[in-house]
Structure formats: C-alpha cells, structure tokens
Amino acid sequence: MTVSWIDIVGAIIGVAYIISEYRADRWFWPLSLVMSAFYIVIDFTSGIYANGAICCYNFIMSIYGILVWRGLVQSKDGGERPITSCPRRYWPALIATTAALSVGLWWLLGWLGESQYPWLDGISSALTIVAMWMLAQKYWQQWLFWMVVEPLMIILFWTTGNYASAALYAVFEIVCILGLRHWRKQQVEA
C-alpha cells in the first residue's frame, strides 16, 4: 500500500476544511478552494473523472459561496447569511436534479469508457453538485446529501488506491452526522 504525498496533503487540507464547514466559519470557502485544487489533481490521476470535474465545479462554487455567505450577493441587507432550512418547495427540484444528473453522468461515463467506476463516480458527482449548491445557500439539510456522498467516495478512493483520501472521507462521514445536528441546532436558535 503506497500513499502519495499529494493524497496526504489533500487529506490534511480536508480535515481543516471539514472542521471549518462544521463551524460554518469564514475560512471554510478559502479552504474549499485549496482542497478542490488538490482533488482535481488526485481525481484525474486516479481515473475518477466525473468527481474531478466536480472539483472544478466546487472550485467555482467556493467563490460563489464566499460571496453568498458574506452577504455580497443574494442579500437584502448585506449582512452575513445565517444557517437556514431549505424551503420545501425546492425539494422536488433538488431530488429530480440529483436523479437526472446521476443517470446522465453514469451513462456518459460508461459511454466514454474512461471512468473506472462510472456508476459510483456519476452518482457521487450528482449528489455533490446539489449538496454544494445547498451549502452555498447555507441550508442545514446539505449535510443529508453529504452523508450519502461520503460512503461512495470512501469506496471510490479505496478502490483506486487513494487510502489517505478514503480515510479522510470516513472522517467526513462522522462530521456529517455531527454537522447535521450542529447546523440544525443553530438554525433553530437563529
């Protein structure tokens, strides 16, 4: 079992990233930018192409998240966005989008024949797209999507030999459970 230095550094950045996400602090988005850059390299060199593309999306969403969380866009008063609940009217579209993206990415990756695990890669990428948008909106339910993504990523990273990243995503799964409780509590108190 060989672990690359970029996998180890990516995992270390990931630990700081998930702690700052749990806390919902301002350093989360800059750490997201750095982590996305590392995982673009890790994913593309491991043949996890859809997730690598999603890391490019996450990089862009990190810039958007900085602007939203700090109240520079989508804010009536310009203040920092609080943690809120995702409106019920969004759920049918979120579920339909996740399902359509999952099937579309799975098919595309299978057709291209480049991804080692097209169904895991496609489904985890679809969930990530939706979860990242929800995170940028600061909806506490984003943790539910991540709770499904993390086990898929553990499998993907383990089977491609990225053991430090697989371990990182196991930690992410634990933090997802804690983060769900923490963010929901903050939303209720807000």
Side-chain angles (χ1 to χ4, degrees):
M1 174 167 53
T2 305
V3 181
S4 72
W5 71 269
I6 196 162
D7 194 30
I8 293 169
V9 172
I12 291 168
I13 293 166
V15 170
Y17 161 94
I18 197 69
I19 290 168
S20 66
E21 181 180 2
Y22 171 84
R23 292 179 176 173
D25 72 28
R26 290 177 178 226
W27 286 105
F28 168 71
W29 290 112
L31 285 167
S32 180
L33 284 167
V34 175
M35 184 172 155
S36 295
F38 268 84
Y39 275 92
I40 288 168
V41 174
I42 291 169
D43 290 343
F44 280 114
T45 58
S46 299
I48 309 172
Y49 298 112
N51 201 64
I54 294 308
C55 288
C56 296
Y57 164 79
N58 288 352
F59 189 88
I60 294 165
M61 284 300 290
S62 296
I63 296 167
Y64 174 71
I66 289 169
L67 298 174
V68 172
W69 277 31
R70 295 203 177 165
L72 301 174
V73 297
Q74 295 185 344
S75 176
K76 294 177 184 170
D77 62 1
E80 187 167 332
R81 178 173 284 217
I83 295 171
T84 60
S85 183
C86 181
R88 288 183 187 207
R89 68 182 183 277
Y90 290 1
W91 283 98
L94 292 171
I95 292 167
T97 299
T98 303
L101 285 170
S102 293
V103 171
L105 289 169
W106 180 1
W107 175 83
L108 179 64
L109 291 166
W111 180 72
L112 292 172
E114 294 292 325
S115 181
Q116 293 182 23
Y117 305 96
W119 65 278
L120 279 174
D121 202 359
I123 294 167
S124 64
S125 297
L127 286 161
T128 298
I129 290 169
V130 174
M132 199 67 168
W133 177 82
M134 292 178 77
L135 176 57
Q137 303 307 312
K138 223 169 181 178
Y139 295 143
W140 65 264
Q141 293 94 336
Q142 54 96 12
W143 291 104
L144 298 171
F145 283 76
W146 294 120
M147 289 170 72
V148 178
V149 171
E150 309 312 1
L152 300 175
M153 296 307 299
I154 292 167
I155 294 166
L156 275 170
F157 284 125
W158 188 266
T159 57
T160 56
N162 294 301
Y163 304 113
S165 294
L168 171 67
Y169 278 78
V171 171
F172 280 4
E173 184 66 15
I174 294 165
V175 176
C176 285
I177 296 164
L178 299 172
L180 176 70
R181 293 174 61 205
H182 181 70
W183 276 41
R184 188 168 184 198
K185 182 180 177 189
Q186 283 190 345
Q187 182 268 326
V188 170
E189 293 174 354

